[in-house]
Amino acid sequence: RCSRAAVMDVTVLEAKNSPARPWVAVGVGSRRRQTRLEVNRTFPVPAPAGPLPTSVQVSLFELLASRGIPADGPRKEVICNIPVRKPDGTQSEVLLRVRREAGEESQASSGAEGQLAQEGRDYLQRHQLEKRVQELIQEVLRKQPAEPYKYMRERLKQRPTVEEAAASADA
């Protein structure tokens, strides 16, 4: 079943002689989604924008091993060893390096974009804009004024800027 919202719903109706720990992967254009194979469970697969491709790639495979890798923290690179027990009982392993930031060669092509993005994040943080806007939206939701935009303008005029608040705290 396909919808206009660029999502396909996929349901496995039957699975005969599947692997012990089966997974199914569905690819539509450049998008791919995988999940444990469960009969009669529907899962959404994002489809590329525009008309749906005429073909869909479906793969069935067995999960050999998995391991969680910390995605946060100060390290930009994590080395992960995943032990794999093969069907004949022998051991194997997969060693992965996961980098959270692109290598220098790809940063060179997007250096200007990366710099602009960092400058934008610095600006937001320096002026605490995200925090102020979030607080303002929460206040509007609590009070639900008849004219929310006018209310927000007035509240922004009343509240001191970060620089003004720092200056009054030092005085």
Side-chain angles (χ1 to χ4, degrees):
R1 179 178 113 212
C2 299
S3 70
R4 297 263 181 224
V7 172
M8 296 177 62
D9 289 335
V10 177
T11 305
V12 176
L13 299 176
E14 185 176 1
K16 294 182 181 178
N17 299 323
S18 60
R21 296 187 295 175
W23 283 67
V24 64
V26 178
V28 181
S30 63
R31 310 261 176 113
R32 182 176 168 97
R33 169 90 195 283
Q34 62 189 39
T35 187
R36 286 189 176 99
L37 188 149
E38 295 178 34
V39 175
N40 292 322
R41 188 183 120 228
T42 300
F43 65 96
V45 177
L52 290 176
T54 55
S55 67
V56 175
Q57 176 73 35
V58 179
S59 303
L60 177 65
F61 58 96
E62 181 175 10
L63 177 67
L64 298 176
S66 68
R67 180 165 181 195
I69 300 172
D72 56 355
R75 298 189 323 184
K76 294 180 181 179
E77 180 177 291
V78 176
I79 304 294
C80 180
N81 176 356
I82 303 174
V84 178
R85 183 177 201 91
K86 296 178 5 182
D88 65 4
T90 60
Q91 287 288 116
S92 181
E93 71 179 24
V94 176
L95 187 64
L96 301 171
R97 174 178 47 216
V98 179
R99 291 184 180 156
R100 288 190 288 156
E101 293 183 14
E104 289 184 30
E105 60 278 354
S106 58
Q107 284 181 357
S109 64
S110 64
E113 281 181 14
Q115 172 127 11
L116 284 173
Q118 184 60 49
E119 288 173 5
R121 286 189 295 272
D122 291 345
Y123 182 84
L124 287 171
Q125 187 174 17
R126 182 171 56 253
H127 295 284
Q128 298 180 356
L129 288 171
E130 288 177 294
K131 179 182 176 192
R132 289 184 73 190
V133 170
Q134 184 178 18
E135 289 171 351
L136 185 58
I137 290 171
Q138 289 173 350
E139 190 175 322
V140 166
L141 290 173
R142 272 193 312 272
K143 296 193 178 206
Q144 298 189 359
E147 297 182 47
Y149 293 106
K150 181 178 179 183
Y151 179 86
M152 288 190 289
R153 276 193 306 273
E154 294 303 316
R155 291 297 291 146
L156 284 171
K157 287 178 186 176
Q158 292 172 2
R159 183 178 290 179
T161 65
V162 173
E163 294 82 7
E164 291 169 343
S168 65
D170 291 340

